[in-house]
Amino acid sequence: MSELTLLVTFVRVILGVFINALVVINALWFQKAFFSHNYQRYEKILVITLLIWAQIVIYLITLHFFGMISLRYSILLVLLTSSVAYICVKLYNPVTPSNHHIYGTILKNWTTLEQNLLFVGIGFIVLLTTINLVAPPGNWDSLNYHIYFPATWYREGTLTMVPLPFGDTAPPYYPVNSSLLYLWLMLPFDSLAIADIGQAPFVLITALGLYAVARQGDMPVTAARWAALLTLFVPMINVTGTLWSTNDVIFVASWLISLATVLRASRTKTIRDIVLAGIAIGLTIGVKGFAIAFCSLFLPWIAVILWRQCRVSWRYAIAGITAIAIPIVLLGGFSYIRNWLVTGNPLYPYRLTIGLFSFPGVIDKKILDSMLHPFAIYDLHLLPFEPGYFNISILLILAIPSIFRSILQKKWSLQHIFLLLLIISYVFIFMVQLPIKSPRFLAAPMLLVLLLVAHFVSVDILSSEQMKQRWLFMGACIGIIISLLTSALSMGTNLFEPSPVSLHFDLNVGKVLWDYAKQIPAWTVIQYLLGIGVFAYLGQYIYNRWLQRPRLVLILSSFSLMCALSVGLEWYDRYEFFAYNRAHYAHLGRIWRWVNEYTTGQRIAYIGTNVPLPLVGHHIKNRVMAINVGEGQLLHEVEQPIPPNQPITSLPDNRSSEPNREMWLQNLIENQIDLIVVFNDKTIIWPESEWMASDHSRFSQVYQDDAGSVWLFRRQP
């Protein structure tokens, strides 16, 4: 890597760190102004997290309405917010003493094992995140939409609905809050690399969210601490969160925080806590479409809150409803409102009936079941054997004696029964209501199970402290082993040259992991263990020095982080397409690499396999899109929505059923297409390929191999 490119990258990293530091400072000021009194340390951290995320959502949605999503205007909004936040903190909380020393007492009452597990867990997360930083996105959903959509918005400057005629029908209509986080990380860094690790912080946030649920449920500090620690070692959480740029861990974290804020609001009944619950729920339902179903589980607590407000006066009731409704709509309603306006159904393409209201669509649970969709049916009996939750299952089995003893000793309360009912209700919604079922959607209730188990173990007076510590250590070790194997299977055996592979983390992967454990190279295991050890020691060293000289350590750590990010970004740019060549995408990687080398900011149309993301090239230089062969681009323009009183006989097709050459050419011209990339599919002959081969005045083939071809399009023949 040249010194000049590294310097340019370092400048962009400084800019990126600066703008995100301002967002954090704004959140800190708002927290001090409105959420500082009677909040514990962990609650303040969660409040700051919510306010950071809320800022990003509001900034980008605001800029979308003006078609002005860019780094320049984002900085202006952040600076404007900084002035408002500063005024608020001076008006509502003028005395802001420095309190960084109080965080040094967090580990004061922790055992040596607990402290070591904390730093090992964080070290493992940092190691996996570092591996993902230098590897290109490889998860199938990231290549489809999780990162592809933000990359498109980055080029367009607006939150357009991106057509996917060759892929899944639903993603253009999905909620966007997680994608907005990825877009935000693209703006200053001008790269996919930082966005690809954007979910990693939510691993720690998930652990803190579970801790908050425990404390709001009046569970002992020890139980809350153990559950949070073990969360760092749950493979479904740490692997999914650090290696794959999806939104599954983001959803789990936000749902747990929502539960914690709702529990707090039901206890305090204050307007500010009701607002906080509204912020959390709004951000949560803006992550996944089915989040509405799972957030409906909070309705009993919300009803209690509003009922208590109503007992005071009807004005308090209206204030409470407004306090929770406005944040939910502002932070979670964007996609649902847009879908309603353009399709008549907020949850399009899923057809649904709610009471007297019917919303037409093109998909429902019945058709997915009848068409034998691979994720339509799930055997709940297999859940304990899922590799993503296997250490929780083992911990549950080991804790059975403690659970029985604790129940007999009446070491339980009404809160534990509510928590158990919540778990059962969550799983019931998953099994009965969700049209698509995947074990990763059960992460939240599995963590609540872990919390209950940790509680019963911690309060078991007949079990020695040594046995309890062994139980804790066992859970961490099993989690590390499974996570290490999964990471090596997903990213390759060489940590310095990772090759991403898309995995569906389910029972089938568990069988592969069992076989892979017998043949994984010893050098790979050594690399992982050394990496965990180095990052764990570094984290402990920084923490100890921070207690002595916090400001100096903060400055040095920030500078070191910027240097590491700069080197990582350069490494990413240098090896991105070589990594694709080594992965199972190698047959497509050759085309992706050629397009990256011979483009300088073209508008590219793709045909065939729905993995468009790598075509954007280095620094998101190309605009990549799919062009339909007929009338309409998006699903609701191509397929007629089916009313609830009519059966759905087949799965929808994003592509027009009536190919029209003249309309296709007109679409190419209107979208100013320069190149057309065709991914070969031996089972399908695309009509566009035949049209291009027969029209030499407009099309010239500039590249071809076994995986596909690239064509130059002349808008003026």
Side-chain angles (χ1 to χ4, degrees), residues 80-96:
L80 178 62
T81 306
S82 296
S83 61
V84 174
Y86 182 77
I87 293 173
C88 288
V89 77
K90 289 300 181 182
L91 288 177
Y92 297 102
N93 192 0
V95 181
T96 55

Side-chain angles (χ1 to χ4, degrees), residues 10 40 113 128 161 176 186 312 321 354 492 505 593 635 700:
F10 187 69
Q40 301 296 318
L113 176 63
L128 296 181
M161 299 182 73
V176 297
M186 291 179 190
V312 177
I321 294 173
I354 304 175
F505 205 3
R593 184 178 177 185
L635 178 62
S700 298

Side-chain angles (χ1 to χ4, degrees), residues 169-381:
T169 57
Y173 306 91
Y174 283 171
V176 297
N177 280 0
S178 58
S179 296
L180 293 180
L181 285 174
Y182 295 140
L183 173 59
W184 181 261
L185 294 175
M186 291 179 190
L187 289 175
F189 298 104
D190 190 36
S191 173
L192 302 177
I194 304 299
D196 193 28
I197 62 173
Q199 190 173 210
F202 284 88
V203 177
L204 299 176
I205 296 170
T206 298
L208 191 58
L210 188 62
Y211 181 91
V213 171
R215 298 301 294 137
Q216 294 300 327
D218 295 327
M219 290 190 181
V221 175
T222 302
R225 184 165 67 237
W226 287 0
L229 274 176
L230 289 170
T231 299
L232 302 180
F233 299 95
V234 175
M236 188 64 77
I237 300 299
N238 58 31
V239 171
T240 303
T242 56
L243 297 184
W244 303 328
S245 45
T246 58
N247 61 10
D248 298 304
V249 176
I250 294 175
F251 168 73
V252 175
S254 59
W255 189 86
L256 289 174
I257 295 174
S258 298
L259 175 58
T261 56
V262 167
L263 291 174
R264 177 184 170 88
S266 67
R267 189 181 74 252
T268 64
K269 304 178 289 295
T270 62
I271 291 297
R272 64 177 179 179
D273 284 332
I274 296 175
V275 170
L276 193 62
I279 292 173
I281 295 173
L283 291 172
T284 302
I285 67 172
V287 174
K288 286 182 178 289
F290 60 64
I292 291 180
F294 293 128
C295 286
S296 67
L297 296 173
F298 305 144
L299 287 177
W301 285 280
I302 295 175
V304 169
I305 295 170
L306 298 180
W307 177 71
R308 289 175 176 174
Q309 295 284 344
C310 190
R311 289 184 63 186
V312 177
S313 77
W314 63 269
R315 291 187 179 87
Y316 277 93
I318 293 176
I321 294 173
T322 304
I324 197 169
I326 291 179
I328 289 176
V329 174
L330 287 179
L331 297 173
F334 173 77
S335 296
Y336 302 101
I337 294 172
R338 181 169 67 175
N339 290 346
W340 199 346
L341 293 176
V342 301
T343 71
N345 181 354
L347 291 176
Y348 188 88
Y350 297 103
R351 186 175 68 176
L352 71 155
T353 299
I354 304 175
L356 300 176
F357 300 97
S358 298
F359 301 99
V362 292
I363 304 173
D364 62 10
K365 186 176 183 297
K366 186 176 180 180
I367 185 62
L368 290 175
D369 291 343
S370 64
M371 298 300 289
L372 298 178
H373 189 283
F375 297 149
I377 300 174
Y378 183 73
D379 188 352
L380 197 61
H381 296 90

Side-chain angles (χ1 to χ4, degrees), residues 392 395-396 399 403 448-458 471:
I392 297 179
L395 290 173
L396 174 60
I403 293 174
L448 294 181
V449 169
L450 176 63
L451 175 58
L452 283 176
V453 173
H455 166 75
F456 287 124
V457 171
S458 67
W471 177 84

